[in-house]
Amino acid sequence: RIQTGRRDELGQMMQAFNGMARGLQERELMGEMVSRAARRVAGDEESLRRAEAGQHLQVTVMYLAVPGFSSLYDSVPADELLAKISSQIDVLCGIIMNNDGEADKIIGEKILAYFYSPAGTGESNRMAMQALRLIDDAARDGLLPFPVCVGIHTGDIIAGLLGISSKRDFTIIGDTVNTAARINAKAAELTDRRYLASEAGVALT
C-alpha cells in the first residue's frame, strides 16, 4: 500500500492504486479458499450455467476420516489437535489433487473427495485406487499424524453450485456420497489398513 494524505490528483491516483492492490489480494485469498472445481466453473460462462442448473455425473467418491476422532478431541490440546489435523488434511488433499481428484469438502477432520473422468468410471476408479495406494504409503511412512479410514463408492451424483447468495461453492450430492460415508464408517471398525470399497468402486479397476 502507498501511504498518503494528499488530496490532489496524485493522491487520487495513489488511492486508486491501493484499491487495485486490495482487489488483487482479495482475489488471491478467495482463490485459496474455494475449490479448484469452483474456480474452473467461474472462469467459463457455459460451465457456470451448467453448474447453476446441476448435472448428473458418474464419479468415484472417496470419503476420508480419522477413526476414533472423538477420543482425540477430548485428550489432545486444541492448538495441537488443530495443527495435526491441518497437516493431515494438507497431505491427503495433496495426494487427491495430484491424482486429478477434487477435494470437494473438508468437514472437521473428514474429507469428501471425488474422481471424474470423461472416459468413464473405469478410469475414475483407477484414479481413486492410485490415490489410495499413495495414501497408504503416506500412512506407512509416518506422514499422517493420525490414522485414516477411507470409504470408496462409484455411482451417479449431481454436481453443481450450492450456497447462499454469492457465497456458493461447487459440490456434489446424492446417494453415492451417502453410501461412501457409510462405507467409511464400516472401514473405521477395522483394526489395520482401514480401507473399504464397494464392488462398484473396484470392479472396473
Side-chain angles (χ1 to χ4, degrees):
R1 302 292 188 273
I2 300 174
Q3 301 299 324
T4 178
R6 300 178 66 125
R7 298 182 179 276
D8 58 7
E9 291 184 359
L10 183 57
Q12 292 174 2
M13 289 177 60
M14 291 176 176
Q15 290 175 10
F17 179 86
N18 286 342
M20 181 182 66
R22 184 168 55 251
L24 290 172
Q25 186 179 37
E26 289 172 355
R27 285 182 60 187
E28 182 179 358
L29 178 60
M30 289 305 298
E32 294 173 354
M33 294 176 64
V34 302
S35 69
R36 186 170 55 181
R39 293 198 296 272
R40 281 203 302 265
V41 164
D44 178 80
E45 186 174 335
E46 177 61 22
S47 296
L48 180 59
R49 186 192 63 77
R50 289 198 303 267
E52 288 177 332
Q55 54 186 321
H56 285 271
L57 295 175
Q58 292 289 321
V59 304
T60 302
V61 175
M62 177 181 284
Y63 197 95
L64 307 94
V66 175
F69 181 71
S70 58
S71 62
L72 295 171
Y73 186 87
D74 295 331
S75 61
V76 180
D79 56 344
E80 179 183 345
L81 182 61
L82 190 63
K84 288 184 175 180
I85 286 295
S86 179
S87 175
Q88 176 122 338
I89 288 172
D90 281 348
V91 173
L92 294 174
C93 287
I95 291 172
I96 290 164
M97 291 187 291
N98 287 337
N99 286 274
D100 297 318
E102 292 287 351
D104 182 74
K105 286 288 176 289
I106 297 171
I107 313 158
E109 89 289 0
K110 301 178 180 68
I111 300 171
L112 171 62
Y114 67 95
F115 298 82
Y116 168 74
S117 171
T121 53
E123 179 61 15
S124 68
N125 283 348
R126 186 200 64 76
M127 292 155 60
M129 290 301 161
Q130 174 61 19
L132 182 59
R133 282 189 285 270
L134 293 173
I135 289 169
D136 187 45
D137 289 344
R140 286 189 289 103
D141 292 343
L143 299 179
L144 300 179
F146 300 115
V148 61
C149 54
V150 180
I152 297 175
H153 184 53
T154 299
D156 183 75
I157 55 91
I158 296 176
L161 287 170
L162 287 177
I164 301 172
S165 186
S166 61
K167 297 182 179 180
R168 298 182 297 170
D169 199 1
F170 192 84
T171 192
I172 60 172
I173 59 173
D175 190 60
T176 299
V177 176
N178 300 331
T179 300
R182 291 194 292 269
I183 294 172
N184 177 275
K186 286 295 183 182
E189 299 173 5
L190 302 176
T191 56
D192 183 43
R193 301 187 76 201
R194 300 175 175 93
Y195 316 135
L196 281 180
S198 67
E199 183 176 0
V202 296
L204 300 177
T205 57

